[in-house]
Amino acid sequence: MFKNLIPVLFCLVLFACNHSKSKPQRKIIRDTTINNKNSFSELSLDSLKLEKYISDNSFTDSAAANMRNFYNSRNYHFAWFTNSGLAEQTRAFWNLHNNELMSTKDSSLYDNKLHTRMKELIENEEGTKLSANELVETELHLTQHFFKYAKFAYEGTINPTELQWYIPRKKVDVVNLLDSLFKQNGAKLTDWEPISKDYRLLEKKLPGYYEIQKKGGFTIVYPGDKIYRPGDSAIAIQQVKERLQQSGDYHSGDTSMVYGPALEAAVQHVQKLLGLNPDGVIGPGTIRQLNVSAKERIEQILVNMERMKWMPKERGGTRLVANIPEFKLHVFEGDNEIFNMKIVVGKAGHNTVVFSDELKYIVFSPYWNVPASIVRNEILPAVRRDPHYLSRNNMEQTGTRNGLPDIRQKPGGNNALGRVKFIFPNSYNIYFHDTPAKMLFDENDRAFSHGCVRLAGPERLARYLLRNNKEWTEEKIYEAMHKQKDDWVTLGEPVPVYLLYFTAWVDNDGGLNFRDDIYGHDEEMKSRMFEH
């Protein structure tokens, strides 16, 4: 999961870089070596007509620079037309463009004038005669529209930082992208597009959900207050069968009211896809998820496709990927997932932040320096109730700061950070760590922390990160985890860490996964993306 989605940026641009001023756009000098003999098209346009088009359409400075740079690089020869009519790459792009419109149902890309003209040219090119001015205007309109499309399709339309997403956003060089489209004559567009495979996998799920919505939506399951197990018989069981048939998860011809083995297998499969305990029991949690409408699922898919557009370009290497709504950490080496583990994330009001960084240190037998907010709101009230609270909890006061005592918990089995923590220095004071509260990993919804990420298998992660350091044997790691003082280890090479927020994705088996929007990030995006 996520192996095609998550990049590794060894020269990571941190959140602060997003607030720096953007560099002035590089100006491309007109390439006068291009002529009618070596250009893609024999047709050319006057640079003054480009300037008039820019002026008439009130271009921004950036958009105007893109237009000038593109035509300077081709010495003002046409890109979309030849003497014979529409170029092959023009048809290829327009087909790609229309597929995007069909899959996303987003009307913001629709340009009535251009779409009318292109429909005429594609359906009846020989019978559609354009004047010289119309030809120039259509050529420039297509270029302008391509730049708009590229930003929409490959970067996304929302500023991620406005939605508490602090991972450097992918940037697309639209001029180079358009130039490369023509250099390969519009061929192999799946290789050409700067989009992840995970995006396309999710996009392929949309038509089925649109069709379900068109037919009236999913069958509603009316459970009453009951829980259904294999062998039970009820109308609700028949409704579950109909609902799972609609989503393609139940293939048996048995549509009776009896809960049989085929339905049990289907329910267990769907429960896994929904992040539920796959026990085959149809209870309130399972029914609640089954009763999410097709319209809501479509919007959820589109929201996560938008997030996937933001992700920077993929690179190989070791990386740690924590998907917050999934409550899981994935460890990757290149394109391969080595292992994963359950995690506990921040509870509502103490959200785990979505950001990226580099893991640099492992601390065995750590101290826990209690945050001031926890000292004020939890520790001090406990001390007033019980003067021996600190000693009983292996805590000590090390000083005073801003009128509050500095409290830390000493290393040991009951330390809130457990026996090891993993530090990727950041302004949010978030890191990975062990925990003595192991029972929380048995829960399906694991949002319990103050923001940091608790790991179900911290020792395994430590062993993996130190696998190439012969000094750190399993025995030494165990010993370091049971000391009475902290032991810091600096990694030879920092490891990229990504804390992400995806509530819909397609797994390696082709299953469409959904998770709850635990922090309301989906709802915030929906308010910007859709009209309700």
Side-chain angles (χ1 to χ4, degrees):
M1 186 184 117
F2 299 124
K3 71 178 182 180
N4 301 306
L5 175 66
I6 312 304
V8 176
L9 304 177
F10 289 101
C11 298
L12 190 65
V13 182
L14 300 181
F15 165 61
C17 296
N18 290 338
H19 296 276
S20 61
K21 293 182 179 179
S22 59
K23 295 180 179 179
Q25 193 164 355
R26 183 174 66 88
K27 182 178 179 180
I28 296 177
I29 304 302
R30 184 166 182 170
D31 188 351
T32 56
T33 63
I34 296 177
N35 53 51
N36 285 341
K37 293 182 179 180
N38 61 21
S39 69
F40 157 75
S41 174
E42 312 87 345
L43 303 174
S44 61
L45 60 98
D46 191 318
S47 62
L48 293 177
K49 291 190 175 182
L50 172 61
E51 293 305 319
K52 184 177 186 305
Y53 184 85
I54 290 172
S55 175
D56 289 347
N57 289 278
S58 302
F59 276 51
T60 64
D61 290 344
S62 176
N66 284 336
M67 295 288 286
R68 294 185 184 110
N69 282 341
F70 178 68
Y71 283 102
N72 273 332
S73 70
R74 39 193 320 108
N75 201 15
Y76 285 81
H77 280 78
F78 275 45
W80 304 98
F81 293 92
T82 69
N83 278 335
S84 302
L86 288 175
E88 282 302 312
Q89 55 264 31
T90 310
R91 297 175 184 274
F93 162 65
W94 202 249
N95 183 58
L96 185 73
H97 167 278
N98 286 338
N99 287 341
E100 186 76 19
L101 278 177
M102 288 294 294
S103 67
T104 64
K105 309 291 185 183
D106 193 317
S107 61
S108 64
L109 265 184
Y110 189 83
D111 184 313
N112 185 58
K113 181 178 180 181
L114 183 60
H115 275 74
T116 300
R117 174 64 52 82
M118 289 300 295
K119 188 173 187 295
E120 293 172 352
L121 288 171
I122 290 173
E123 293 182 356
N124 187 23
E125 186 173 1
E126 293 184 2
T128 303
K129 302 299 181 183
L130 300 180
S131 67
N133 285 336
E134 287 174 332
L135 190 63
V136 169
E137 196 276 339
T138 305
E139 162 74 21
L140 296 176
H141 201 164
L142 275 167
T143 303
Q144 176 191 11
H145 195 72
F146 175 89
F147 293 151
K148 179 181 179 181
Y149 167 84
K151 289 285 187 180
F152 172 93
Y154 307 131
E155 282 190 9
T157 58
I158 298 175
N159 182 354
T161 58
E162 295 177 1
L163 297 163
Q164 302 174 53
W165 178 285
Y166 303 121
I167 295 174
R169 183 181 188 177
K170 177 179 67 182
K171 293 295 182 183
V172 176
D173 187 332
V174 292
V175 175
N176 282 341
L177 190 65
L178 180 53
D179 187 56
S180 66
L181 172 69
F182 292 115
K183 284 181 178 177
Q184 59 187 47
N185 296 320
K188 298 182 179 179
L189 290 182
T190 54
D191 297 333
W192 166 82
E193 287 189 286
I195 205 76
S196 72
K197 188 179 293 185
D198 289 86
Y199 177 95
R200 290 304 180 212
L201 289 172
L202 199 51
E203 183 183 45
K204 288 178 181 178
K205 298 294 184 178
L206 277 172
Y209 276 79
Y210 283 131
E211 187 63 24
I212 291 167
Q213 184 185 33
K214 182 179 178 181
K215 292 179 179 179
F218 288 124
T219 296
I220 301 297
V221 181
Y222 296 98
D225 298 323
K226 293 185 177 180
I227 293 176
Y228 304 99
R229 293 179 171 84
D232 289 346
S233 179
I235 293 177
I237 292 172
Q238 187 178 57
Q239 293 167 343
V240 169
K241 290 179 179 179
E242 292 176 4
R243 164 63 180 81
L244 296 183
Q245 282 179 331
Q246 291 166 335
S247 59
D249 296 300
Y250 178 66
H251 306 286
S252 172
D254 176 16
T255 58
S256 70
M257 293 189 292
V258 178
Y259 191 166
L263 179 60
E264 182 182 12
V267 168
Q268 289 173 330
H269 173 69
V270 168
Q271 286 172 329
K272 288 181 181 178
L273 296 178
L274 297 172
L276 303 173
N277 180 24
D279 56 9
V281 176
I282 304 174
T286 299
I287 292 173
R288 178 179 68 84
Q289 292 287 349
L290 294 180
N291 281 340
V292 175
S293 70
K295 177 178 180 293
E296 289 177 272
R297 290 305 192 197
I298 288 169
E299 291 183 350
Q300 190 173 1
I301 291 171
L302 291 171
V303 159
N304 284 275
M305 286 170 60
E306 172 74 8
R307 289 191 182 113
M308 290 176 181
K309 293 177 184 178
W310 302 340
M311 295 302 300
K313 186 179 179 180
E314 302 168 12
R315 293 180 63 179
T318 304
R319 60 198 182 277
L320 308 180
V321 179
N323 186 28
I324 297 167
E326 186 191 10
F327 306 114
K328 189 169 285 188
L329 173 72
H330 303 264
V331 179
F332 289 97
E333 187 66 36
D335 289 335
N336 300 315
E337 182 176 8
I338 306 304
F339 61 91
N340 60 64
M341 67 182 68
K342 294 179 179 180
I343 60 176
V344 169
V345 301
K347 56 189 173 184
H350 296 275
N351 298 3
T352 298
V353 182
V354 180
F355 73 107
S356 57
D357 213 305
E358 290 184 325
L359 195 156
K360 298 180 179 179
Y361 312 105
I362 300 175
V363 184
F364 295 112
S365 299
Y367 287 93
W368 178 40
N369 296 301
V370 185
S373 60
I374 298 179
V375 171
R376 181 186 306 107
N377 299 324
E378 299 178 29
I379 303 296
L380 290 182
V383 169
R384 284 192 286 268
R385 292 191 301 269
D386 177 6
H388 302 291
Y389 178 86
L390 293 183
S391 61
R392 287 197 305 100
N393 287 278
N394 201 27
M395 292 181 173
E396 61 185 2
Q397 181 175 347
T398 59
T400 304
R401 183 182 306 175
N402 299 324
L404 283 176
D406 274 336
I407 304 293
R408 72 176 184 179
Q409 189 176 35
K410 292 180 283 187
N414 67 338
N415 185 288
L417 305 183
R419 296 190 180 275
V420 59
K421 70 176 179 178
F422 304 83
I423 299 179
F424 32 102
N426 59 84
S427 59
Y428 313 109
N429 197 30
I430 288 177
Y431 43 86
F432 297 153
H433 66 85
D434 185 16
T435 176
K438 304 295 186 184
M439 74 293 294
L440 294 179
F441 294 111
D442 294 330
E443 301 291 330
N444 284 324
D445 297 323
R446 296 186 291 276
F448 299 109
S449 81
H450 285 83
C452 286
V453 177
R454 305 174 190 174
L455 307 178
E459 185 173 358
R460 184 180 186 186
L461 180 60
R463 289 200 305 267
Y464 184 76
L465 294 176
L466 295 172
R467 68 194 182 281
N468 296 322
N469 189 328
K470 294 182 180 179
E471 177 187 353
W472 284 97
T473 62
E474 289 190 24
E475 292 77 13
K476 184 172 180 178
I477 289 174
Y478 179 84
E479 179 184 337
M481 290 176 66
H482 292 79
K483 287 184 175 181
Q484 297 303 308
K485 68 174 187 175
D486 55 355
D487 191 350
W488 286 63
V489 182
T490 301
L491 295 182
E493 184 175 324
V495 175
V497 175
Y498 297 88
L499 284 80
L500 304 176
Y501 195 94
F502 287 98
T503 61
W505 68 90
V506 177
D507 61 32
N508 292 334
D509 297 322
L512 178 56
N513 287 252
F514 291 109
R515 295 295 187 273
D516 284 341
D517 179 24
I518 60 175
Y519 295 157
H521 292 339
D522 282 13
E523 288 304 311
E524 178 65 24
M525 286 186 66
K526 288 178 184 179
S527 69
R528 298 175 183 231
M529 293 177 64
F530 312 116
E531 295 181 2
H532 290 96

